[in-house]
Amino acid sequence: MQLILVRHALPESVSVTEGSADPGLTEFGHRQARRLPGALADVRVARVVTSPMRRAVETAGPLVESTGIALEVNEGFAEYDRHEGSYIPIHEAKERMPETFARIRAGFLPDFVDENSFRSRVLGAFEDVVAQARHEDTVVVVAHGGVVNIVLQQILELPRPLTFPLEYVSVTRVLVSRNGVRRVSSVNETGHVRDLTVR
């Protein structure tokens, strides 16, 4: 089977006084998300699975609409910041949260994250998707940079949880053989949004 991991498009920057921040996409982010069906036109998508967070669900929207496939939500693919009261896109964090930005860019999760718990949750969701798929299936999972990196860390046996700086709506492909062997075939494909990158 092929598992296609997609990072969400550009979300809004938000802060809330109660509950958790769960921003949707900016108008620019919606433009990015509309490129996803074209980026995956070379495959027959069997399932579309998403994180429960708005920025992932909205990114999956154009793909769901174009394929007619019902969206499946898996709580395990939520990002590590799910319960935080604010969300700042990473390109803004460089100026507004320099210490956190530096830590993430060095390949480490923010201090507030329970790394083992996050890893266990993400990999559990990954295994659920694999277990439910047929060998010939291509399953698209729309999630987050931290989620995709955790999967890559596991397969590639990397020392740090955040090795790859992933672009918005980037595509990463993982192949799973009949005997369960996993292989990363591509990381951070961005040709479909090259003119819509954020710096």
Side-chain angles (χ1 to χ4, degrees), residues 19-189:
S20 303
D22 188 16
L25 301 181
T26 62
E27 180 51 42
F28 190 80
H30 282 291
R31 288 177 59 198
Q32 293 173 322
R34 288 193 288 270
R35 299 285 183 88
L36 186 56
L40 303 183
D42 63 326
V43 298
R44 176 178 289 180
V45 178
R47 296 167 58 204
V48 180
V49 183
T50 185
S51 152
M53 304 177 83
R54 283 183 59 199
R55 57 191 186 267
V57 173
E58 291 181 8
T59 300
L63 181 63
V64 169
E65 183 177 352
S66 69
T67 60
I69 297 172
L71 183 66
E72 303 173 40
V73 175
N74 189 315
E75 298 285 329
F77 288 123
E79 184 63 299
Y80 56 74
D81 62 359
R82 181 178 190 180
H83 300 295
E84 294 299 295
S86 62
Y87 177 85
I88 299 174
I90 190 66
H91 68 284
E92 294 181 22
K94 184 175 183 179
E95 299 296 330
R96 298 171 60 182
M97 303 171 60
E99 291 183 7
T100 299
F101 176 85
R103 182 174 174 85
I104 291 172
R105 279 297 186 240
F108 301 101
L109 293 163
D111 287 330
F112 65 82
V113 181
D114 181 333
E115 183 174 327
N116 290 332
S117 177
F118 177 57
R119 179 179 292 107
S120 177
R121 171 167 62 77
V122 169
L123 295 179
F126 176 87
E127 293 302 332
D128 286 346
V129 169
V130 171
Q132 295 165 12
R134 300 169 300 177
H135 176 69
E136 64 272 19
D137 284 351
T138 291
V139 180
V140 177
V141 174
V142 182
H144 310 270
V147 170
V148 177
N149 266 287
I150 287 292
V151 173
L152 293 174
Q153 181 191 26
Q154 174 76 3
I155 297 173
L156 299 175
E157 300 180 348
L158 302 170
R160 295 170 297 165
L162 301 180
T163 299
F164 299 98
L166 301 173
E167 301 289 343
Y168 294 115
V169 202
S170 64
V171 169
T172 293
R173 302 178 194 245
V174 174
L175 304 178
V176 181
S177 69
R178 290 185 185 274
N179 61 2
V181 175
R182 292 92 196 274
R183 179 169 61 87
V184 177
S185 64
S186 73
V187 176
N188 200 39
E189 295 177 26

